[in-house]
Amino acid sequence: MSSYQKELEKYRDIDEDEILRTLSPEELEQLDCELQDMDPENMLLPAGLRQRDQTKKSPTGPLDREALLQYLEQQALEVKERDDLVPYTGEKKGKPYIQPKREIPVQEQVTLEPELEEALANATDAEMCDIAAILGMYTLMSNKQYYDAICSGEICNTEGISSVVQPDKYKPVPDEPPNPTNIEEILKSVRSNDKELEEVNLNNIQDIPIPMLTELCEAMKTNTHVRSFSLVATRSGDPVASAVADMLRENRSLQSLNIESNFISSTGLMAVLKAVRENATLTELRVDNQVASKRRDNTTLSSTNENSEP
């Protein structure tokens, strides 16, 4: 065993929970800032997760995307374009490129018997497709023609080669409507332990501030009515995963948790999985498709807890 491995052995049996319980509020705040200080060179993370928020100014109000786009468009129209260093005159220089004709070499030319040449010259499109099916040249036929010939055992093609270029028509699938959930109202309902609120679904809402997500997890600690909690594609990172882990250690009513398609690293996932061991009510946990995972083989984690074990 190398000296480096011996040095790591003394940290194997350290109780991280015991260390966290002994930290002061100032030390916990400093640790939270360090956790938010993500890798600034990781282009897969959104800009808000590459480093901690160092803004001292208070927000002037909620983001109005339409107003921002209108302002940017107006600025683009009002700003005068700079003059070209070389004025454009429309003059074309040089000669247009003409692709040279390629002559087929003698060794690539195919010569058939006169009888075959005559038969192929007089063959219809349907007969050409039949010949292609016999020779196994399925690329000259549509998929429907090919599989019909295999299933029936007989080649009865009446569509012709022109059917190959005709694509199959599929019914258009409409885009999924945006999630209409009001986050502030959900947070109030969770804090007040509303008995009618049994499912919290924030899927695909990508502009939720991280402090609001952590507040929601904090409120879920004492909630006794919510059975399903879903944060799919909310751009959540390790700070949110840490808040989810703390929530699982105290919540005793949640049955389903879904945090798929986010930016949680393996460290955050391990914190959630360790917290599941202390939760006796959770029966379903979904953590697939984490972009910030450090494993290059894109292996995702998924777990279903039925007996209080991850």
Side-chain angles (χ1 to χ4, degrees):
M1 182 180 295
S2 63
S3 59
Y4 176 72
Q5 292 176 337
K6 292 180 180 179
E7 185 70 17
L8 293 179
E9 281 296 324
K10 63 181 182 181
Y11 300 107
R12 183 179 298 277
D13 298 329
I14 290 180
D15 188 356
E16 296 87 351
D17 297 333
E18 181 64 27
I19 296 176
L20 291 175
R21 281 193 291 268
T22 58
L23 293 179
S24 64
E26 293 77 10
E27 292 173 334
L28 288 174
E29 183 177 359
Q30 182 180 1
L31 178 61
D32 184 60
C33 293
E34 293 297 332
L35 289 176
Q36 294 186 21
D37 191 2
M38 307 299 292
D39 186 2
E41 297 181 357
N42 190 350
M43 300 303 295
L44 297 177
L45 292 177
L49 295 181
R50 295 181 195 168
Q51 61 181 2
R52 62 176 180 269
D53 187 7
Q54 303 178 10
T55 304
K56 302 299 182 182
K57 297 175 61 178
S58 58
T60 58
L63 173 64
D64 190 346
R65 184 174 182 273
E66 295 298 329
L68 178 60
L69 292 177
Q70 292 178 3
Y71 172 77
L72 294 176
E73 184 178 356
Q74 182 179 2
Q75 287 294 107
L77 294 175
E78 293 179 354
V79 174
K80 182 181 179 181
E81 296 183 358
R82 64 180 183 180
D83 297 332
D84 295 333
L85 298 178
V86 180
Y88 175 71
T89 60
E91 180 184 358
K92 295 183 179 180
K93 298 181 179 180
K95 298 180 180 180
Y97 174 76
I98 300 177
Q99 185 176 1
K101 295 182 180 180
R102 176 179 175 270
E103 296 183 0
I104 302 177
V106 178
Q107 59 270 20
E108 294 184 12
Q109 296 180 1
V110 179
T111 303
L112 300 177
E113 296 294 334
E115 294 81 3
L116 293 177
E117 290 281 0
E118 183 180 359
L120 292 175
N122 299 326
T124 62
D125 290 346
E127 291 173 344
M128 292 292 289
C129 283
D130 291 344
I131 295 174
I134 293 173
L135 298 177
M137 302 171 66
Y138 57 87
T139 56
L140 296 180
M141 300 183 298
S142 65
N143 291 336
K144 183 177 182 301
Q145 294 170 339
Y146 179 68
Y147 287 109
D148 287 347
I150 292 179
C151 296
S152 63
E154 297 180 359
I155 302 173
C156 301
N157 191 339
T158 59
E159 297 182 2
I161 296 179
S162 59
S163 64
V164 179
V165 298
Q166 297 177 1
D168 296 333
K169 295 182 179 180
Y170 299 97
K171 294 182 179 179
V173 179
D175 295 336
E176 184 177 354
N179 193 332
T181 304
N182 189 312
I183 306 171
E184 295 181 355
E185 293 182 359
I186 288 294
L187 182 57
K188 292 180 181 179
S189 299
V190 173
R191 283 176 175 173
S192 62
N193 200 13
D194 187 359
K195 62 181 181 180
E196 296 183 358
L197 181 64
E198 296 185 356
E199 180 181 1
V200 175
N201 184 349
L202 305 180
N203 294 349
N204 301 317
I205 305 179
Q206 301 183 358
D207 57 351
I208 307 177
I210 292 180
M212 183 170 289
L213 288 175
T214 55
E215 290 179 12
L216 184 60
C217 294
E218 184 70 23
M220 281 290 298
K221 291 182 179 180
T222 56
N223 189 282
T224 59
H225 295 96
V226 175
R227 299 291 183 265
S228 176
F229 190 49
S230 184
L231 299 176
V232 178
T234 54
R235 295 186 175 273
S236 300
D238 283 355
V240 177
S242 178
V244 169
D246 294 338
M247 178 266 295
L248 290 176
R249 293 188 180 94
E250 298 187 23
N251 184 281
R252 293 297 177 264
S253 62
L254 191 64
Q255 298 178 0
S256 175
L257 174 63
N258 191 345
I259 53 175
E260 294 179 333
S261 302
N262 282 300
F263 297 88
I264 303 175
S265 67
S266 56
T267 304
L269 294 179
M270 288 303 299
V272 173
L273 294 178
K274 288 181 180 179
V276 172
R277 297 179 180 177
E278 305 177 23
N279 189 294
T281 59
L282 193 69
T283 59
E284 183 180 25
L285 172 63
R286 296 180 180 274
V287 295
D288 287 352
N289 192 27
Q290 301 298 332
V291 180
S293 177
K294 297 181 179 179
R295 300 184 61 181
R296 295 187 177 181
D297 57 355
N298 293 328
T299 303
T300 56
L301 298 175
S302 180
S303 173
T304 300
N305 178 15
E306 296 182 356
N307 296 315
S308 301
E309 291 293 332

